[in-house]
Amino acid sequence: MPMKLDIKKELNSHSDRVKSVDLHPTEPWVLSCLYDGTMHIYDYSTGTVVKSFEVSDQPVRCGVFIPRKRWIVCGCDDMMIRVYNYNTMEKLQAFEAHMDYIRSISVHPSLPLVVTASDDMLIKLWDWEKGWATTMIYEGHGHYVMQVLFNPKDPNTFASASLDHTIKVWSISSPIPNMTLEGHERGVNCIDYYAGPDKPYLCSGGDDQVIKLWDYQTRSCVQTMEYHEHNVSCVSFIHDRPLILSGSEDGSAVLWNSNTYTNEATIQLNKERCWSASHQKGLNRIALGYDFGTVVIKFGRDTPLVSMDSSGKVIYIKQNEASTINLRSIDISSYADGDRLPLVGKELGATENSPQSISHSPNGRFVAVCGDGEYIVYTALAWRNKSFGQGDEVVWDRGGGEYAARRGASDIRVFSNKFKERTSVQTDFMAEGIFGGNLLCVRSSDFVCFFDWESMQLIRRIDVVPTNIYWADSDLVALATDQSLFILQFNREAFETALDQHGGVVGPDGVEEAFQLLHEYSEKVTSGHWIGDCFIYTNSNNQLNCVVGSEVSLLNHMDGPTFILGYLTKDNRILVADKSVSITSYALNLAVVEYKTAIIRNDHEEAAQVLQKVPASEHNKLAKFLEKQGYKEQALDLATDPDYMCELAIGLGKLDLAADIAKKDPSPLKWKSIGELATQEGRLDLAEKCMVEGEDLPGLVSLGMATSNAEILERVAETSVDGKAMNIAFLSSFMLGRVDECLKILISNQRIPEAALFARSYCPSEVARIVEMWKAELRKSGHVRMADLLADPISHAHLFEGYDASLQSEKDNADLMLKMKEVDSDYYPAYKQTLETGIPHENSPDDRKDEAQENGLGTAEPALDPRAELEREDDEDEDYNPGEAGNVDDNPSEEEDDDEEGLDEEEL
């Protein structure tokens, strides 16, 4: 039967004639070399132009990636070779390589060598580590050399195709060809090597409109394939599939079966002549260059043909050859997460069709292989054919070992575990896919239907189009679409109840209550697997994630696309494979999964029992899980990270516990957080302690000012000076009334102008000294005239009107500060009112004394009225002026205005 090829167009760009294309092996890029002298790099996953290069005013006929150097090498009709860095777009080299058009470039897979072919009938070998020196010239063709290509299985040799009707095979160390293959009736345009290990084949296409397959060991033509109506311009072996691609100037591209040499598919894209093709190993994509643009087509699935049973036995298929790997043969737990496991496959046998999917039965005894519209069920151990039949897909029932096969778009057959057909279903819609598990799922282009395996009764229709469906051992199911992931729960009792109520008949949409949507996530799932009630999956961002309840946690980042094989309970490891079936593993403790599952189910007793099996290294992660579920108290008991414990304690309002945690593992951030919350709750003693421990000097200043606590301000002032925090020291000293200390701080910090202004306002007795310091600094920096303009109250007394009064105010303020230190802070409001108005406050100390006597609290010495006390002491001073003594708040701004008025224009 013909092969079933799912061909999809991924990129369809429109441009001038494309003479050469090349796919990047790791990035989703295709390089297009255009006849108009430019090159473009397209991202075929997004359909956008990533980079563009203006190369020449002549056509660019060939260009290739050199990924290990991040280069592009191209050849043009101006006979020049140019080298670009495709990241920086910098042109690294440009040199004349041939005497005519350059047709082809091929890069050695490991050595720094490039071979080029030209219309000058020469082939040249270049070494880029020797400054792009020519290391060998190969002569022998009698016409234009159209293509050269290194042999991937023997890179010391390469082949060339020429319009002289021949193909020659060369050794890089000899200018004489090893052999010449003759058979084409006209010129040969293109060649490609078969990269598989089993066949020494080379294919070619020419102007005689045929494709020939050569055995270069026997130097014979194996097969000639005819279809095209014009020159064959490009050929390519499709790796990992028995296919050969050919492109022609008649506008068609054909996929040939390399085993039967039959035409499997013809691709017509209506872009005129096809000039070039590219395919990379491990990519199920082909790039084609046409007269009117570049096209990238995808065929088949991205997932590798690999399956694993629950015991760890893996079966994979490459090129129709099935092999097995036993993961129990090595100690997986001894390898770090992401390390490639050193596994060696053992050959099982060949498949009888071209496989497109493979899956183990639930018990692991059988393997179903589908391809070419047929399925074959093999025994997993001996690889014997157990059953076969027509079918595009085969899926397994999770419980009874039955399986279903889809034939075409509406015929679904169900087979018993004895491989006998048990029943069939004819759907009234076009079935595009089926999925196995607890229920049989049939997908259309708009919805998916769930059927009971036993009765084939419709259970529920859901209007989503899943790319895959994953069933847990319980009734949980994950539906993965192109954009979202849905977690649902199947309720069989609800379905059976509804069935009984309706006499065994349900509507076209089934029973709505049969499924309950639990969670929805915006994720594009590429593969998935259930471990209990925990769903692990890989996504399009190459992440390995874990879902338990509503929580999604990242397990690991991966270097490229990988696909989950399964989970080994014994080793607590998740197994994943890439496209080349390289297997790696990642740790996931089963006890952790069981604990999370018990919490989700609100079974805290079971969770407590399971917790005993969870290693201590996982406790902190579980604490974060508990916090997300709303169990902050339990999270605090389980947490081990001090920072996280402190955060939880703060969130729960347990400030004393948070302080104890911070004391054991101190950090300024912890103390600041605790201090802020303690301040909000009015626990000023704890707030002060936190600010001291966290060295929060601004906070201490604010606290000292708010509580009138001179001790705090004094401590801050001393600490700040030692720690060079001059602004904090200045503010603390100023609030304490220590203007002399403020002045010292400004001077020590070389803030002389500010010191002079401060002295004029608060300590005028120091003005003359500081002005002299200011003058000295100005003269030292060369500003002599500016220094001469400065005046001081000693040498220019006439400019400082009221200077004597300000000196007296300075003295009075100093005396007042001494008096205020002796007043208790509780009496400050009464003291302040008395000072300002002369009228005793109702809550004066005398009133409080009377209240104390009335309440039987004893007697106390009568307190003096503060203002009277000040007047009594000041009366002893013969120069005392009562009017001035009451003015304890001087107005420095007015004095400064007076000084400014005292300077005439000439002196200014």
Side-chain angles (χ1 to χ4, degrees):
M1 294 183 64
M3 297 175 63
K4 297 290 185 178
L5 298 174
D6 183 16
I7 299 175
K8 296 180 180 179
K9 193 188 308 180
E10 275 200 322
L11 174 70
N12 186 14
S13 73
H14 299 280
S15 66
D16 288 338
R17 185 186 306 172
V18 179
K19 297 300 294 182
S20 174
V21 291
D22 189 38
L23 284 167
H24 196 284
T26 57
E27 300 289 344
W29 293 349
V30 58
L31 174 68
S32 296
C33 301
L34 275 60
Y35 198 78
D36 64 2
T38 62
M39 292 190 303
H40 300 307
I41 297 178
Y42 294 97
D43 186 327
Y44 54 75
S45 64
T46 61
T48 58
V49 177
V50 179
K51 301 178 190 295
S52 292
F53 301 84
E54 298 288 340
V55 180
S56 171
D57 57 357
Q58 300 291 321
V60 184
R61 293 189 180 272
C62 54
V64 292
F65 286 111
I66 306 182
R68 63 183 185 271
K69 301 294 290 184
R70 296 175 177 82
W71 288 352
I72 294 173
V73 182
C74 63
C76 305
D77 282 5
D78 60 5
M79 299 162 284
M80 299 282 288
I81 293 289
R82 292 175 175 84
V83 183
Y84 295 88
N85 183 308
Y86 58 66
N87 284 339
T88 64
M89 299 181 67
E90 177 187 2
K91 183 164 67 175
L92 305 176
Q93 290 286 342
F95 56 92
E96 186 172 342
H98 287 271
M99 298 177 65
D100 209 334
Y101 298 167
I102 300 172
R103 294 281 183 175
S104 177
I105 298 175
S106 183
V107 183
H108 194 283
S110 57
L111 299 177
L113 301 176
V114 170
V115 63
T116 60
S118 170
D119 284 0
D120 61 7
M121 299 180 288
L122 297 179
I123 301 168
K124 293 186 178 182
L125 186 69
W126 311 86
D127 190 328
W128 68 68
E129 288 189 352
K130 295 180 179 179
W132 290 93
T134 306
T135 59
M136 187 71 70
I137 298 177
Y138 308 90
E139 299 184 58
H141 283 296
H143 210 303
Y144 301 161
V145 184
M146 302 300 289
Q147 188 176 358
V148 286
L149 188 68
F150 279 103
N151 186 343
K153 291 187 287 190
D154 182 13
N156 291 322
T157 63
F158 65 89
S160 61
S162 171
L163 293 186
D164 63 5
H165 306 183
T166 66
I167 301 164
K168 294 183 183 294
V169 178
W170 311 76
S171 173
I172 61 174
S173 59
S174 173
I176 301 173
N178 296 342
M179 69 181 74
T180 300
L181 302 177
E182 297 179 312
H184 280 280
E185 297 178 359
R186 299 185 65 184
V188 185
N189 295 315
C190 49
I191 50 175
D192 192 27
Y193 275 104
Y194 175 68
D198 53 336
K199 299 173 183 177
Y201 282 180
L202 174 73
C203 67
S204 62
D207 289 344
D208 54 5
Q209 305 174 13
V210 299
I211 300 98
K212 287 186 176 291
L213 197 63
W214 306 87
D215 186 326
Y216 54 80
Q217 287 186 350
T218 62
R219 306 184 184 186
S220 61
C221 178
V222 176
Q223 185 71 32
T224 299
M225 292 167 278
E226 299 182 31
Y227 173 84
H228 295 291
E229 298 176 354
H230 212 298
N231 302 338
V232 179
S233 52
C234 55
V235 291
S236 178
F237 279 102
I238 307 302
H239 304 286
D240 302 327
R241 290 177 183 270
L243 294 171
I244 301 172
L245 171 77
S246 63
S248 170
E249 293 181 35
D250 62 10
S252 66
V254 177
L255 288 170
W256 304 87
N257 190 316
S258 60
N259 293 326
T260 62
Y261 313 114
T262 57
N263 183 342
E264 295 290 349
T266 301
I267 303 169
Q268 292 284 0
L269 299 174
N270 300 320
K271 285 185 171 289
E272 297 296 331
R273 293 171 293 183
C274 179
W275 292 106
S276 56
S278 175
H279 174 69
Q280 290 285 348
K281 186 177 182 181
L283 295 176
N284 57 336
R285 289 167 177 84
I286 304 169
L288 298 168
Y290 288 87
D291 272 339
F292 294 149
T294 305
V295 176
V296 176
I297 59 174
K298 174 186 174 182
F299 52 94
R301 302 189 306 171
D302 288 327
T303 56
L305 293 173
V306 59
S307 179
M308 186 183 84
D309 66 7
S310 58
S311 66
K313 292 180 180 178
V314 178
I315 294 178
Y316 64 93
I317 300 175
K318 289 184 178 181
Q319 289 289 351
N320 294 72
E321 296 294 330
S323 302
T324 182
I325 297 173
N326 189 358
L327 295 175
R328 294 182 177 275
S329 61
I330 61 171
D331 183 11
I332 299 176
S333 59
S334 63
Y335 294 89
D337 287 358
D339 285 353
R340 181 177 176 179
L341 302 180
L343 300 167
V344 179
K346 176 184 176 183
E347 291 186 5
L348 279 177
T351 61
E352 300 175 25
N353 54 10
S354 298
Q356 295 174 344
S357 66
I358 178 174
S359 60
H360 271 90
S361 63
N363 57 18
R365 295 175 55 193
F366 304 103
V367 176
V369 178
C370 292
D372 301 341
E374 298 179 339
Y375 74 88
I376 303 175
V377 178
Y378 296 94
T379 57
L381 294 178
W383 202 249
R384 293 193 180 95
N385 187 329
K386 192 68 176 178
S387 180
F388 65 92
Q390 294 183 3
D392 299 315
E393 292 179 278
V394 168
V395 295
W396 297 91
D397 172 19
R398 180 178 293 275
E402 297 186 340
Y403 65 93
R406 178 177 68 87
R407 300 178 180 181
S410 60
D411 187 5
I412 299 171
R413 306 291 178 91
V414 179
F415 297 82
S416 69
N417 53 13
K418 303 297 184 181
F419 308 104
K420 302 295 183 180
E421 183 177 335
R422 184 173 63 80
T423 186
S424 63
V425 178
Q426 296 290 330
T427 61
D428 56 359
F429 55 85
M430 299 289 288
E432 295 186 351
I434 58 174
F435 307 96
N438 294 358
L439 301 175
L440 176 61
C441 314
V442 183
R443 181 193 67 196
S444 76
S445 58
D446 299 316
F447 54 85
V448 61
C449 290
F450 293 83
F451 294 90
D452 180 66
W453 278 97
E454 182 65 27
S455 63
M456 299 313 300
Q457 171 72 51
L458 174 65
I459 293 179
R460 176 72 191 278
R461 166 180 159 168
I462 299 178
D463 292 330
V464 297
V465 184
T467 56
N468 216 326
I469 295 178
Y470 307 92
W471 284 91
D473 291 334
S474 60
D475 289 328
L476 294 176
V477 59
L479 272 66
T481 69
D482 287 334
Q483 302 294 333
S484 302
L485 170 66
F486 301 93
I487 304 296
L488 297 88
Q489 186 169 27
F490 172 51
N491 189 337
R492 184 174 288 275
E493 293 182 0
F495 167 72
E496 293 176 351
T497 300
L499 201 64
D500 293 339
Q501 292 175 351
H502 295 85
V505 179
V506 297
D509 293 335
V511 177
E512 184 177 353
E513 296 80 10
F515 282 92
Q516 178 187 0
L517 176 63
L518 302 180
H519 306 287
E520 179 182 354
Y521 310 94
S522 296
E523 287 276 21
K524 184 176 180 179
V525 175
T526 55
S527 65
H529 185 79
W530 284 94
I531 306 173
D533 288 352
C534 166
F535 183 64
I536 55 173
Y537 66 91
T538 57
N539 60 16
S540 55
N541 296 324
N542 300 325
Q543 295 174 331
L544 180 65
N545 292 337
C546 172
V547 175
V548 178
S550 61
E551 184 203 31
V552 179
S553 56
L554 174 65
L555 297 180
N556 222 306
H557 284 279
M558 291 164 290
D559 296 333
T562 54
F563 307 91
I564 297 175
L565 294 177
Y567 181 77
L568 292 182
T569 306
K570 178 183 177 182
D571 301 296
N572 289 323
R573 308 290 288 189
I574 304 167
L575 281 302
V576 300
D578 60 13
K579 291 182 180 180
S580 63
V581 199
S582 295
I583 299 177
T584 55
S585 67
Y586 297 90
L588 179 62
N589 193 286
L590 184 59
V592 172
V593 175
E594 293 174 349
Y595 180 85
K596 290 182 177 181
T597 302
I599 292 297
I600 293 296
R601 294 174 176 173
N602 290 322
D603 191 347
H604 293 278
E605 293 183 2
E606 181 183 352
Q609 296 177 358
V610 175
L611 184 61
Q612 300 175 4
K613 299 184 290 183
V614 177
S617 59
E618 299 288 337
H619 283 188
N620 205 64
K621 295 179 181 178
L622 290 181
K624 293 182 178 180
F625 169 78
L626 288 170
E627 182 191 9
K628 291 181 180 179
Q629 301 302 316
Y631 303 112
K632 290 188 177 182
E633 292 281 355
Q634 294 91 323
L636 181 59
D637 295 337
L638 202 58
T640 57
D641 178 52
D643 293 339
Y644 184 52
M645 292 171 64
C646 187
E647 180 184 339
L648 287 172
I650 293 173
L652 291 168
K654 298 183 177 182
L655 300 185
D656 293 326
L657 177 59
D660 293 340
I661 296 171
K663 192 171 184 179
K664 296 177 183 177
D665 187 54
S667 73
L669 184 61
K670 292 178 188 174
W671 289 118
K672 184 177 181 180
S673 301
I674 301 170
E676 290 177 352
L677 190 58
T679 303
Q680 294 175 7
E681 295 184 359
R683 299 187 57 182
L684 301 184
D685 54 340
L686 180 59
E688 180 183 353
K689 176 184 175 182
C690 294
M691 293 175 185
V692 171
E693 293 289 346
E695 299 180 357
D696 183 7
L697 299 180
L700 284 171
V701 170
S702 300
L703 182 64
M705 293 169 58
T707 59
S708 300
N709 193 325
E711 294 181 0
I712 295 178
L713 294 175
E714 288 175 358
R715 187 163 60 245
V716 171
E718 295 172 0
T719 306
S720 301
V721 171
D722 295 340
K724 306 301 180 183
M726 295 302 176
N727 56 338
I728 301 296
F730 180 90
L731 180 60
S732 302
S733 299
F734 185 77
M735 296 304 300
L736 290 169
R738 299 174 179 175
V739 293
D740 53 341
E741 290 294 331
C742 294
L743 202 59
K744 290 179 183 178
I745 291 171
L746 292 173
I747 294 171
S748 64
N749 204 30
Q750 299 300 314
R751 310 295 291 270
I752 307 300
E754 289 92 331
L757 295 175
F758 181 83
R760 181 67 183 90
S761 300
Y762 296 99
C763 42
S765 60
E766 296 287 340
V767 171
R769 179 175 69 89
I770 298 196
V771 167
E772 288 302 319
M773 296 173 61
W774 192 359
K775 290 181 178 181
E777 288 292 329
L778 289 172
R779 291 189 179 100
K780 185 177 179 180
S781 59
H783 298 86
V784 178
R785 177 166 175 74
M786 190 178 294
D788 293 339
L789 290 176
L790 291 176
D792 64 81
I794 303 300
S795 57
H796 301 81
H798 64 286
L799 298 177
F800 292 84
E801 183 180 352
Y803 179 66
D804 293 337
S806 63
L807 290 175
Q808 183 61 42
S809 295
E810 178 184 3
K811 178 179 179 302
D812 293 343
N813 268 333
D815 294 340
L816 184 60
M817 292 302 298
L818 291 174
K819 298 297 182 181
M820 290 179 66
K821 288 181 180 179
E822 299 174 0
V823 179
D824 191 281
S825 61
D826 292 339
Y827 299 153
Y828 177 75
Y831 183 84
K832 183 173 183 295
Q833 178 176 332
T834 303
L835 287 176
E836 293 176 350
T837 65
I839 302 173
H841 191 268
E842 62 180 356
N843 289 327
S844 65
D846 290 336
D847 296 336
R848 298 191 179 206
K849 177 197 69 175
D850 296 340
E851 292 177 4
Q853 291 176 346
E854 292 176 1
N855 294 329
L857 297 178
T859 60
E861 290 296 327
L864 295 176
D865 177 73
R867 183 176 179 85
E869 180 66 16
L870 285 175
E871 291 178 354
R872 185 183 63 79
E873 294 181 358
D874 290 338
D875 284 343
E876 299 174 0
D877 189 350
E878 60 183 2
D879 296 329
Y880 172 68
N881 186 339
E884 293 181 333
N887 185 14
V888 296
D889 294 327
D890 290 337
N891 191 343
S893 61
E894 295 180 1
E895 295 181 6
E896 292 174 0
D897 293 342
D898 293 343
D899 292 343
E900 292 177 1
E901 292 175 0
L903 295 176
D904 57 25
E905 289 186 7
E906 183 178 355
E907 288 177 313
L908 284 172

